[in-house]
Amino acid sequence: MSLSLSILGLTFFVYIYRLYRRLTRTPLSDLPGPEPKTFVAGNLHQFLHGQAGEIDLQWQAEYGDVVKFKGPFGQDILLISDPKAVQYFYHTSGYTFPKPADRKEINRLFTGPGILCADEVDHLRHRKIISPAFNFGVIRDYVPVFNYHAAKLTTKWKESIAESPDGQSVLNLCNWYAKTTLDALGIAVFDYDFGSLDNKENRLGKIYSNLCIESFATLSRREITAQAVTSLIPPRILVILLKLIPNPRLDKLHEAYAVGYSVAKEMLEMKTKEFTNGKGTHDIMSLLIRANASSDQASQMSEEEMVAQIITILLAGYDTSGSSLVWASLELARHPEVQTKLRREIRKKALEIQKRGETEFSAVDLESMPYLAAVLKESLRYHAVSYNHYRESAKDTVLPLSKSITTRSGRVINEIVVPKGTKMITSVNGYHRHPDVFGPDADTFNPDRWLNNTTRTEKQVSVGMYGGLLSFAGGVMSCVGWRFAVLEMQAILVELVNNFEFTLTPEAQMVRKEACSLLMVPTIEGHGAQRMLPISVKIAPQDD
Ligand code: HEM
């Protein structure tokens, strides 16, 4: 009896399994990739656990440059690092690959109806008004603002070093850079002093400082499964549920939105009043208000959209630059010879500036320093803080490939037919560490690759705006503020490397690349979910 029951049970199990395989078969089923771990969450536990971009490289080595893995309930997801596919994805395709609806709803939760959750028509309208305010011609005038805040940071660090008995200070760079980039953004974009370097009580800085860790980092298995289940819910219902479900991570997002909203509304009212009184100042927000007022009525952004853009710029514009500077400083501490070479270039340029009777680096000076550009590009390549970009195909399309793929059934293919609605993720790490693009040493930090170009092969394709990198994404939804970020990071690096020497601390050797959904932030092994990178800082030698 028990034997026949076991056989019956086994037959039933095999039948259900076969049915599941048949039901979940799609045109993409033949592509190489890992076997799903569970039906509900597919491979999501593997994909979302671990450090940012870690699994990408593992799967890339095992399955190739296009990996098919399973999302919730048998859904196919493509993880892409093939150079030609990546180029098609961002550039040739225009709006063929918009952001998935569920991600837009999450974005809407903490920005409101801004550019990060706009559909094609609205997105075009938003960009038309926002983009001109971020042109190089506009941004270069903000270099004095970046210089000013970098110098203020220098003063703070010198005070801290002066107080220490051994002439060096261990500083958590995450806090310092976040304060500096928030203050610089406040002045350049809104003519508003957050005063965080002066430790002014600052609601926004306080709530945003650990937001991505508290809302998105170290997801438990249960949370990942819950995320998989919610992906079945239609976005319109999801947005209501996300507001109602009691959950500490969501509560944090709602709280951040409430604070961001009140700060942004206050700023918009202040700036609009200045504009209507004919007192518009020379900040990016004033340019935006002017551009909005002078565009035809149908293309104008509503007040709610303007508030949402302010929140977006606040969120997208300081933490990204601050975190990128943290990773760049870590590499400088790991490579003293790079620091010395960079310091020499900075001091040579400073002498040139002095000879022409000036004291400050201008945008042209910053842009004419090849080693500075090389260090920054290499750091953005090696540590892309925005490590995965989520998209979905809006129609059936064909993805071209640089290298052919052998499918599970042994077919050799040079392109992939992608059905409408397929979820796709670009692996920024997979692309940035690709030997066909960056040479056989793509896995090492080597700024010199940008100077001599010898390590890059002829197969290299350019995708992003800065160094062909994906750090700022590419195409129609690329980063609006990339020039702002590049000039700001250059100005801060010049000031700091000229004045200070960075060295590793024992904790910095235990750094983790914490995956926080939108952003990769440093934490230290064994110190919990705290954003930190302690680096030892002392006055730089004068004779370098
Ligand atoms: C190192 C610093 C920065 C990095 C790495 C970065 C990266 C990115 C990336 C990857 C995207 C596209 C996200 C996606 O498609 O899913 C993006 C979008 C955006 N970024 Fe940045 N960003 C940085 C700095 C800035 C700054 C300084 C600003 C403004 C002051 C800014 C404003 C924006 C805006 C408004 C968007 C939305 C663009 C759109 O949807 O059309 N970013 N950024």
Side-chain angles (χ1 to χ4, degrees):
M1 174 70 177
S2 76
L3 181 67
S4 44
L5 260 182
S6 306
I7 293 170
L8 200 68
L10 192 66
T11 316
F12 181 69
F13 177 77
V14 170
Y15 171 77
I16 292 291
Y17 182 71
R18 283 204 178 137
L19 186 69
Y20 156 65
R21 293 298 296 231
R22 219 180 49 234
L23 287 177
T24 57
R25 249 195 113 66
T26 72
L28 304 172
S29 297
D30 206 20
L31 291 176
E35 283 298 323
K37 297 284 177 196
T38 65
F39 175 60
V40 173
N43 300 102
L44 284 186
H45 290 122
Q46 279 166 291
F47 188 67
L48 297 174
H49 266 149
Q51 299 190 41
E54 197 177 37
I55 192 79
D56 302 28
L57 296 182
Q58 217 173 298
W59 282 350
Q60 188 191 38
E62 211 169 325
Y63 305 107
D65 294 342
V66 178
V67 178
K68 189 230 44 205
F69 68 96
K70 287 286 181 191
F73 303 98
Q75 181 186 64
D76 286 324
I77 302 179
L78 297 183
L79 182 68
I80 304 167
S81 56
D82 176 278
K84 207 164 167 183
V86 163
Q87 194 175 43
Y88 179 81
F89 188 79
Y90 287 102
H91 284 284
T92 324
S93 64
Y95 283 98
T96 305
F97 303 111
K99 294 193 181 102
D102 54 342
R103 297 215 53 108
K104 282 195 211 157
E105 290 316 320
I106 300 273
N107 289 348
R108 197 186 303 273
L109 265 190
F110 53 88
T111 65
I115 194 166
L116 287 179
C117 42
D119 291 331
E120 181 173 344
V121 175
D122 285 338
H123 187 263
L124 273 167
R125 179 170 58 87
H126 292 193
R127 263 195 101 103
K128 204 171 145 210
I129 293 169
I130 297 173
S131 297
F134 285 92
N135 278 342
F136 185 72
V138 175
I139 299 304
R140 68 175 171 206
D141 291 347
Y142 294 110
V143 170
V145 174
F146 305 146
N147 289 339
Y148 171 81
H149 287 93
K152 197 164 178 178
L153 178 65
T154 296
T155 307
K156 300 277 172 193
W157 283 9
K158 283 187 174 165
E159 284 167 8
S160 168
I161 292 170
E163 282 167 15
S164 70
D166 59 352
Q168 57 186 327
S169 224
V170 172
L171 303 170
N172 179 4
L173 297 189
C174 297
N175 291 346
W176 285 107
Y177 290 157
K179 286 178 179 198
T180 311
T181 51
L182 179 61
D183 285 359
L185 183 86
I187 297 294
V189 180
F190 308 104
D191 192 24
Y192 183 95
D193 186 9
F194 284 108
S196 36
L197 273 172
D198 292 324
N199 292 326
K200 256 197 218 165
E201 186 55 36
N202 174 355
R203 287 181 298 158
L204 196 87
K206 209 163 151 195
I207 189 98
Y208 280 5
S209 66
N210 224 25
L211 180 65
C212 54
I213 291 230
E214 285 167 327
S215 301
F216 300 111
T218 53
L219 295 178
S220 66
R221 284 188 73 81
R222 238 182 49 204
E223 284 174 312
I224 293 173
T225 307
Q227 218 180 66
V229 173
T230 52
S231 74
L232 284 186
I233 302 170
R236 277 174 201 283
I237 299 175
L238 179 66
V239 72
I240 299 168
L241 287 180
L242 288 175
K243 285 187 184 144
L244 297 176
I245 297 170
N247 173 295
R249 291 189 193 264
L250 287 173
D251 292 349
K252 198 79 202 167
L253 283 181
H254 299 320
E255 197 187 337
Y257 177 67
V259 173
Y261 184 86
S262 79
V263 171
K265 192 136 170 95
E266 198 183 305
M267 281 178 175
L268 184 65
E269 275 164 13
M270 185 178 80
K271 292 276 122 196
T272 310
K273 205 184 271 171
E274 280 176 6
F275 175 71
T276 37
N277 292 340
K279 287 196 205 140
T281 44
H282 184 62
D283 53 68
I284 291 174
M285 197 59 219
S286 300
L287 293 179
L288 243 152
I289 291 175
R290 203 171 308 147
N292 198 34
S294 54
S295 66
D296 62 280
Q297 220 162 7
S299 325
Q300 277 180 4
M301 289 196 273
S302 67
E303 190 184 315
E304 284 303 280
E305 285 173 336
M306 286 291 268
V307 170
Q309 311 308 356
I310 299 179
I311 302 174
T312 307
I313 291 171
L314 283 170
L315 268 170
Y318 89 95
D319 223 4
T320 43
S321 310
S323 296
S324 300
L325 280 169
V326 174
W327 293 110
S329 307
L330 173 67
E331 289 310 323
L332 290 173
R334 281 177 176 164
H335 300 275
E337 73 292 353
V338 174
Q339 259 187 86
T340 308
K341 194 167 164 183
L342 180 56
R343 196 169 295 118
R344 280 195 191 127
E345 186 185 64
I346 294 167
R347 290 181 178 172
K348 195 166 158 229
K349 184 57 79 179
L351 270 180
E352 266 177 43
I353 295 169
Q354 209 182 338
K355 275 189 194 148
R356 60 169 203 252
E358 289 170 27
T359 50
E360 274 203 23
F361 282 71
S362 67
V364 176
D365 294 321
L366 295 172
E367 291 287 285
S368 63
M369 297 169 70
Y371 198 61
L372 174 65
V375 170
L376 188 57
K377 282 178 190 163
E378 185 63 350
S379 177
L380 291 170
R381 182 189 76 84
Y382 206 63
H383 299 285
V385 295
S386 177
Y387 54 96
N388 285 137
H389 304 152
Y390 288 73
R391 301 284 191 270
E392 171 177 293
S393 56
K395 56 179 187 196
D396 293 347
T397 187
V398 177
L399 202 60
L401 299 171
S402 311
K403 262 194 299 209
S404 53
I405 289 179
T406 306
T407 65
R408 287 161 178 250
S409 63
R411 275 188 311 132
V412 176
I413 54 171
N414 294 307
E415 54 187 30
I416 298 172
V417 177
V418 179
K420 179 180 172 181
T422 303
K423 301 265 195 257
M424 303 166 92
I425 302 173
T426 37
S427 166
V428 177
N429 226 10
Y431 181 74
H432 282 182
R433 306 284 180 105
H434 205 301
D436 285 356
V437 183
F438 295 100
D441 69 339
D443 224 12
T444 54
F445 180 84
N446 172 20
D448 285 347
R449 81 178 69 250
W450 298 97
L451 299 178
N452 51 33
N453 259 359
T454 50
T455 54
R456 302 162 100 186
T457 70
E458 71 275 15
K459 278 193 186 165
Q460 196 232 345
V461 282
S462 186
V463 184
M465 293 79 62
Y466 190 57
L469 295 167
L470 280 186
S471 315
F472 299 105
V476 288
M477 278 171 277
S478 60
C479 177
V480 174
W482 73 272
R483 290 188 190 85
F484 184 104
V486 166
L487 279 178
E488 177 183 44
M489 291 188 291
Q490 285 174 328
I492 293 175
L493 282 176
V494 160
E495 171 74 10
L496 297 183
V497 174
N498 189 19
N499 283 287
F500 303 104
E501 190 174 278
F502 297 101
T503 38
L504 284 178
T505 57
E507 289 90 353
Q509 316 218 24
M510 314 275 281
V511 69
R512 279 177 54 81
K513 294 176 158 209
E514 207 64 60
C516 303
S517 177
L518 297 168
L519 200 67
M520 172 183 89
V521 301
T523 57
I524 302 298
E525 203 76 63
H527 282 71
Q530 273 309 314
R531 190 177 193 155
M532 61 195 285
L533 184 70
I535 288 280
S536 178
V537 178
K538 62 179 176 192
I539 302 295
Q542 285 312 304
D543 54 353
D544 260 2

mmCIF file of all heavy atoms in Angstrom, residues 265-287:
data_model
loop_
_atom_site.group_PDB
_atom_site.id
_atom_site.type_symbol
_atom_site.label_atom_id
_atom_site.label_comp_id
_atom_site.label_asym_id
_atom_site.label_seq_id
_atom_site.Cartn_x
_atom_site.Cartn_y
_atom_site.Cartn_z
ATOM 1 N N LYS A 265 9.173 71.564 -2.063
ATOM 2 C CA LYS A 265 8.070 72.510 -2.262
ATOM 3 C C LYS A 265 8.499 73.909 -1.804
ATOM 4 O O LYS A 265 8.252 74.903 -2.493
ATOM 5 C CB LYS A 265 6.848 72.025 -1.474
ATOM 6 C CG LYS A 265 5.582 72.735 -1.811
ATOM 7 C CD LYS A 265 4.425 71.778 -1.965
ATOM 8 C CE LYS A 265 3.135 72.564 -2.062
ATOM 9 N NZ LYS A 265 2.641 72.869 -3.301
ATOM 10 N N GLU A 266 9.194 73.918 -0.665
ATOM 11 C CA GLU A 266 9.693 75.198 -0.128
ATOM 12 C C GLU A 266 10.648 75.852 -1.143
ATOM 13 O O GLU A 266 10.559 77.040 -1.436
ATOM 14 C CB GLU A 266 10.451 74.870 1.163
ATOM 15 C CG GLU A 266 10.695 76.005 2.113
ATOM 16 C CD GLU A 266 11.519 75.499 3.305
ATOM 17 O OE1 GLU A 266 11.094 74.509 3.963
ATOM 18 O OE2 GLU A 266 12.589 76.042 3.539
ATOM 19 N N MET A 267 11.539 75.013 -1.716
ATOM 20 C CA MET A 267 12.509 75.544 -2.682
ATOM 21 C C MET A 267 11.813 76.074 -3.924
ATOM 22 O O MET A 267 12.153 77.131 -4.439
ATOM 23 C CB MET A 267 13.474 74.432 -3.118
ATOM 24 C CG MET A 267 14.549 74.166 -2.124
ATOM 25 S SD MET A 267 15.527 72.811 -2.762
ATOM 26 C CE MET A 267 16.790 72.756 -1.548
ATOM 27 N N LEU A 268 10.818 75.314 -4.406
ATOM 28 C CA LEU A 268 10.122 75.726 -5.631
ATOM 29 C C LEU A 268 9.398 77.050 -5.399
ATOM 30 O O LEU A 268 9.457 77.957 -6.247
ATOM 31 C CB LEU A 268 9.142 74.630 -6.083
ATOM 32 C CG LEU A 268 8.444 74.917 -7.400
ATOM 33 C CD1 LEU A 268 9.436 74.961 -8.555
ATOM 34 C CD2 LEU A 268 7.375 73.875 -7.701
ATOM 35 N N GLU A 269 8.742 77.166 -4.240
ATOM 36 C CA GLU A 269 8.007 78.414 -3.949
ATOM 37 C C GLU A 269 8.968 79.592 -3.899
ATOM 38 O O GLU A 269 8.720 80.639 -4.486
ATOM 39 C CB GLU A 269 7.266 78.287 -2.607
ATOM 40 C CG GLU A 269 5.917 77.610 -2.796
ATOM 41 C CD GLU A 269 5.313 77.101 -1.494
ATOM 42 O OE1 GLU A 269 5.803 77.485 -0.405
ATOM 43 O OE2 GLU A 269 4.358 76.301 -1.583
ATOM 44 N N MET A 270 10.115 79.373 -3.228
ATOM 45 C CA MET A 270 11.110 80.448 -3.083
ATOM 46 C C MET A 270 11.626 80.870 -4.468
ATOM 47 O O MET A 270 11.669 82.041 -4.808
ATOM 48 C CB MET A 270 12.248 79.906 -2.229
ATOM 49 C CG MET A 270 13.321 80.887 -1.868
ATOM 50 S SD MET A 270 14.520 80.033 -0.824
ATOM 51 C CE MET A 270 15.495 79.160 -2.031
ATOM 52 N N LYS A 271 11.969 79.885 -5.283
ATOM 53 C CA LYS A 271 12.564 80.169 -6.601
ATOM 54 C C LYS A 271 11.535 80.789 -7.546
ATOM 55 O O LYS A 271 11.862 81.665 -8.335
ATOM 56 C CB LYS A 271 13.112 78.880 -7.220
ATOM 57 C CG LYS A 271 14.302 78.305 -6.513
ATOM 58 C CD LYS A 271 15.585 78.947 -6.970
ATOM 59 C CE LYS A 271 16.298 79.561 -5.809
ATOM 60 N NZ LYS A 271 17.328 80.492 -6.151
ATOM 61 N N THR A 272 10.265 80.297 -7.464
ATOM 62 C CA THR A 272 9.228 80.843 -8.346
ATOM 63 C C THR A 272 8.978 82.302 -7.979
ATOM 64 O O THR A 272 8.806 83.149 -8.859
ATOM 65 C CB THR A 272 7.923 80.013 -8.227
ATOM 66 O OG1 THR A 272 8.267 78.647 -8.369
ATOM 67 C CG2 THR A 272 6.914 80.374 -9.288
ATOM 68 N N LYS A 273 8.963 82.598 -6.671
ATOM 69 C CA LYS A 273 8.752 83.985 -6.225
ATOM 70 C C LYS A 273 9.876 84.869 -6.777
ATOM 71 O O LYS A 273 9.636 85.934 -7.323
ATOM 72 C CB LYS A 273 8.733 84.028 -4.690
ATOM 73 C CG LYS A 273 7.936 85.216 -4.170
ATOM 74 C CD LYS A 273 7.996 85.321 -2.678
ATOM 75 C CE LYS A 273 6.884 84.516 -1.991
ATOM 76 N NZ LYS A 273 7.105 84.475 -0.528
ATOM 77 N N GLU A 274 11.112 84.383 -6.658
ATOM 78 C CA GLU A 274 12.259 85.167 -7.178
ATOM 79 C C GLU A 274 12.076 85.412 -8.666
ATOM 80 O O GLU A 274 12.307 86.501 -9.164
ATOM 81 C CB GLU A 274 13.561 84.381 -6.973
ATOM 82 C CG GLU A 274 14.119 84.469 -5.571
ATOM 83 C CD GLU A 274 15.364 83.586 -5.405
ATOM 84 O OE1 GLU A 274 15.846 83.008 -6.417
ATOM 85 O OE2 GLU A 274 15.820 83.468 -4.277
ATOM 86 N N PHE A 275 11.637 84.367 -9.385
ATOM 87 C CA PHE A 275 11.494 84.472 -10.838
ATOM 88 C C PHE A 275 10.409 85.489 -11.194
ATOM 89 O O PHE A 275 10.606 86.365 -12.035
ATOM 90 C CB PHE A 275 11.162 83.086 -11.417
ATOM 91 C CG PHE A 275 10.881 83.088 -12.885
ATOM 92 C CD1 PHE A 275 11.895 83.297 -13.807
ATOM 93 C CD2 PHE A 275 9.587 82.902 -13.355
ATOM 94 C CE1 PHE A 275 11.629 83.315 -15.165
ATOM 95 C CE2 PHE A 275 9.314 82.918 -14.716
ATOM 96 C CZ PHE A 275 10.342 83.120 -15.612
ATOM 97 N N THR A 276 9.238 85.397 -10.510
ATOM 98 C CA THR A 276 8.161 86.326 -10.858
ATOM 99 C C THR A 276 8.502 87.762 -10.466
ATOM 100 O O THR A 276 8.027 88.705 -11.070
ATOM 101 C CB THR A 276 6.810 85.895 -10.226
ATOM 102 O OG1 THR A 276 7.074 85.363 -8.934
ATOM 103 C CG2 THR A 276 6.081 84.860 -11.031
ATOM 104 N N ASN A 277 9.381 87.917 -9.467
ATOM 105 C CA ASN A 277 9.807 89.279 -9.089
ATOM 106 C C ASN A 277 10.992 89.744 -9.938
ATOM 107 O O ASN A 277 11.622 90.751 -9.632
ATOM 108 C CB ASN A 277 10.220 89.326 -7.609
ATOM 109 C CG ASN A 277 9.036 89.123 -6.700
ATOM 110 O OD1 ASN A 277 7.897 89.317 -7.134
ATOM 111 N ND2 ASN A 277 9.280 88.716 -5.470
ATOM 112 N N GLY A 278 11.328 88.941 -10.950
ATOM 113 C CA GLY A 278 12.438 89.309 -11.839
ATOM 114 C C GLY A 278 13.797 89.200 -11.177
ATOM 115 O O GLY A 278 14.765 89.821 -11.582
ATOM 116 N N LYS A 279 13.872 88.394 -10.080
ATOM 117 C CA LYS A 279 15.142 88.300 -9.347
ATOM 118 C C LYS A 279 15.802 86.935 -9.521
ATOM 119 O O LYS A 279 16.557 86.513 -8.648
ATOM 120 C CB LYS A 279 14.878 88.518 -7.852
ATOM 121 C CG LYS A 279 14.576 89.937 -7.472
ATOM 122 C CD LYS A 279 14.732 90.076 -5.962
ATOM 123 C CE LYS A 279 13.895 91.240 -5.450
ATOM 124 N NZ LYS A 279 13.246 90.942 -4.191
ATOM 125 N N GLY A 280 15.468 86.221 -10.596
ATOM 126 C CA GLY A 280 16.017 84.869 -10.794
ATOM 127 C C GLY A 280 17.527 84.851 -10.670
ATOM 128 O O GLY A 280 18.219 85.648 -11.316
ATOM 129 N N THR A 281 18.049 83.966 -9.813
ATOM 130 C CA THR A 281 19.503 83.907 -9.643
ATOM 131 C C THR A 281 20.091 82.919 -10.643
ATOM 132 O O THR A 281 19.381 82.252 -11.375
ATOM 133 C CB THR A 281 19.853 83.490 -8.197
ATOM 134 O OG1 THR A 281 19.006 82.423 -7.847
ATOM 135 C CG2 THR A 281 19.708 84.652 -7.242
ATOM 136 N N HIS A 282 21.426 82.822 -10.605
ATOM 137 C CA HIS A 282 22.086 81.996 -11.614
ATOM 138 C C HIS A 282 22.283 80.564 -11.102
ATOM 139 O O HIS A 282 23.376 80.052 -11.052
ATOM 140 C CB HIS A 282 23.430 82.647 -11.969
ATOM 141 C CG HIS A 282 24.149 81.934 -13.063
ATOM 142 N ND1 HIS A 282 23.645 81.807 -14.326
ATOM 143 C CD2 HIS A 282 25.334 81.274 -13.076
ATOM 144 C CE1 HIS A 282 24.503 81.112 -15.060
ATOM 145 N NE2 HIS A 282 25.531 80.768 -14.324
ATOM 146 N N ASP A 283 21.219 79.924 -10.686
ATOM 147 C CA ASP A 283 21.338 78.523 -10.280
ATOM 148 C C ASP A 283 20.520 77.669 -11.242
ATOM 149 O O ASP A 283 19.691 78.183 -12.010
ATOM 150 C CB ASP A 283 20.874 78.320 -8.835
ATOM 151 C CG ASP A 283 19.488 78.874 -8.611
ATOM 152 O OD1 ASP A 283 18.542 78.318 -9.171
ATOM 153 O OD2 ASP A 283 19.360 79.902 -7.914
ATOM 154 N N ILE A 284 20.754 76.357 -11.188
ATOM 155 C CA ILE A 284 20.130 75.463 -12.168
ATOM 156 C C ILE A 284 18.607 75.471 -12.040
ATOM 157 O O ILE A 284 17.880 75.443 -13.024
ATOM 158 C CB ILE A 284 20.713 74.041 -12.013
ATOM 159 C CG1 ILE A 284 22.181 74.070 -12.476
ATOM 160 C CG2 ILE A 284 19.929 73.015 -12.804
ATOM 161 C CD1 ILE A 284 22.955 72.799 -12.259
ATOM 162 N N MET A 285 18.117 75.577 -10.819
ATOM 163 C CA MET A 285 16.669 75.576 -10.598
ATOM 164 C C MET A 285 16.019 76.784 -11.260
ATOM 165 O O MET A 285 14.953 76.675 -11.871
ATOM 166 C CB MET A 285 16.414 75.590 -9.081
ATOM 167 C CG MET A 285 15.029 75.187 -8.677
ATOM 168 S SD MET A 285 14.673 73.531 -9.250
ATOM 169 C CE MET A 285 12.985 73.735 -9.718
ATOM 170 N N SER A 286 16.669 77.959 -11.161
ATOM 171 C CA SER A 286 16.118 79.155 -11.791
ATOM 172 C C SER A 286 16.063 78.982 -13.303
ATOM 173 O O SER A 286 15.105 79.395 -13.958
ATOM 174 C CB SER A 286 16.960 80.385 -11.448
ATOM 175 O OG SER A 286 16.970 80.585 -10.060
ATOM 176 N N LEU A 287 17.117 78.328 -13.864
ATOM 177 C CA LEU A 287 17.118 78.070 -15.310
ATOM 178 C C LEU A 287 15.955 77.151 -15.672
ATOM 179 O O LEU A 287 15.286 77.328 -16.691
ATOM 180 C CB LEU A 287 18.428 77.400 -15.740
ATOM 181 C CG LEU A 287 19.702 78.220 -15.629
ATOM 182 C CD1 LEU A 287 20.910 77.405 -16.068
ATOM 183 C CD2 LEU A 287 19.594 79.484 -16.477
#
